[in-house]
Amino acid sequence: MSDWALPERFEVGDGTVRWGSFGDGPPLVLLHGTPFSSFIWRDVVPVLARDHRVHVWDMLGFGQSTRTAPDVSLRQQAVIFVDLLEHWGVSAPQVVAHDVGGAVALRAALLHNVTFESLTLIDAATVSGWGSGGFFQTIHQHPAAFEALPAWASAALIDAKIRSGSHTGLRAEALASYTDQWAGTEGARAFYQQYAQGGEDNTDELQGLLHLLDIPVHVIWGADDSWLGVDYAQRLMTALPDHARFSLIDGAGHMVPEDQPGELLRLLST
């Protein structure tokens, strides 16, 4: 799937969300994080689609979806996710969520009462502290200052940020796919906007509810995640019900689907 394309369109109030589905079988939905897109799932979709109907989508403001929408907050992404499930005619899917996709999935489950068959959280933004790092917090608090940067400075910052998410190093075509969506003045503005609107206020409401999850939960983490370390994952496990499982993937940074897709697939099948 080197030519990653989402052929379907779903119109929302502020633009168009692009999505696609692959294979046949029980429904499985993949949610990407930031500053990525559904492209991050391209290596795992063909295998998962052998025995599942796999649904992927680019969140509003990301990838092939409209990038100029005024509201790209995680609250809004969760509403869109709920509407997409209805549009797809999907009930009780298996859900696999990476990074802030975890917050979107959890909002759907805990605040919108959407039923999942199971939930897998991969290096996911969930418990408090995920947005307190220097990079995220600085942009969140001063987005206008970053938008004023010259194009070359924004391009260098975005490139470095995305590179730092991988432990093994990104292939050239993969890096280009992630950075191209943020190219130019409009792209850079969209990049900073999703940080400005994506703060921890989007997950504050979830903190007292995580222990109520009554579905199978599997937390998968990159052992070399430099964005959200293993100590953060352990805090998440403490907040979740006792039945939640935890798996650590050696040789993977924050971008587990990029760094170790084979091991991720093995864990998703167990």
Side-chain angles (χ1 to χ4, degrees):
M1 292 193 174
S2 57
D3 297 326
W4 184 251
L6 302 181
E8 307 296 340
R9 305 167 68 93
F10 181 68
E11 301 300 326
V12 298
D14 293 329
T16 301
V17 167
R18 300 295 293 267
W19 65 274
S21 59
F22 307 87
D24 289 298
L28 188 156
V29 183
L30 303 173
L31 281 75
H32 70 82
T34 184
F36 314 118
S37 70
S38 64
F39 180 80
I40 201 167
W41 302 115
R42 71 197 180 285
D43 289 335
V44 302
V45 164
V47 179
L48 295 174
R50 292 173 184 172
D51 51 13
H52 291 86
R53 183 68 167 176
V54 180
H55 297 267
V56 294
W57 59 294
D58 281 342
M59 294 186 192
L60 193 64
F62 294 79
Q64 298 166 46
S65 295
T66 300
R67 281 182 298 177
T68 56
D71 185 357
V72 296
S73 67
L74 302 181
R75 287 187 179 87
Q76 177 68 358
Q77 307 291 2
V79 170
I80 293 171
F81 178 39
V82 174
D83 290 343
L84 272 173
L85 290 172
E86 182 178 359
H87 178 68
W88 295 333
V90 167
S91 60
Q94 297 176 48
V95 174
V96 179
H98 177 238
D99 188 73
V100 296
V104 173
L106 286 166
R107 289 189 67 89
L110 295 172
L111 301 179
H112 295 276
N113 300 313
V114 175
T115 299
F116 300 159
E117 179 179 325
S118 64
L119 175 62
T120 300
L121 298 169
I122 305 172
D123 296 72
T126 46
V127 291
S128 297
W130 61 271
S132 60
F135 181 88
F136 195 113
Q137 190 173 43
T138 302
I139 295 180
H140 181 66
Q141 294 176 344
H142 308 286
F146 284 88
E147 288 180 14
L149 290 173
W152 63 264
S154 280
L157 184 151
I158 292 167
D159 180 272
K161 171 60 176 176
I162 292 172
R163 285 178 185 270
S164 71
S166 169
H167 177 68
T168 62
L170 294 170
R171 290 166 283 178
E173 68 274 13
L175 178 63
S177 178
Y178 294 125
T179 57
D180 285 354
Q181 65 181 322
W182 311 120
T185 301
E186 180 182 290
R189 184 179 297 113
F191 178 85
Y192 299 128
Q193 179 187 20
Q194 44 92 19
Y195 281 99
Q197 297 182 0
E200 289 193 26
D201 55 304
N202 290 273
T203 55
D204 286 346
E205 300 161 272
L206 304 174
Q207 301 310 302
L209 303 175
L210 293 171
H211 70 283
L212 299 176
L213 287 167
D214 59 356
I215 55 174
V217 179
H218 190 180
V219 175
I220 299 176
W221 223 261
D224 299 290
D225 187 338
S226 62
W227 295 7
L228 295 174
V230 177
D231 56 339
Y232 179 89
Q234 296 297 343
R235 291 202 292 111
L236 170 57
M237 291 301 296
T238 300
L240 291 171
D242 291 341
H243 66 258
R245 296 189 295 143
F246 180 71
S247 298
L248 195 65
I249 298 183
D250 291 329
H254 188 75
M255 299 173 73
V256 169
E258 286 284 351
D259 288 351
Q260 297 294 338
E263 180 60 12
L264 175 59
L265 282 166
R266 186 189 71 81
L267 290 172
L268 290 177
S269 67
T270 60

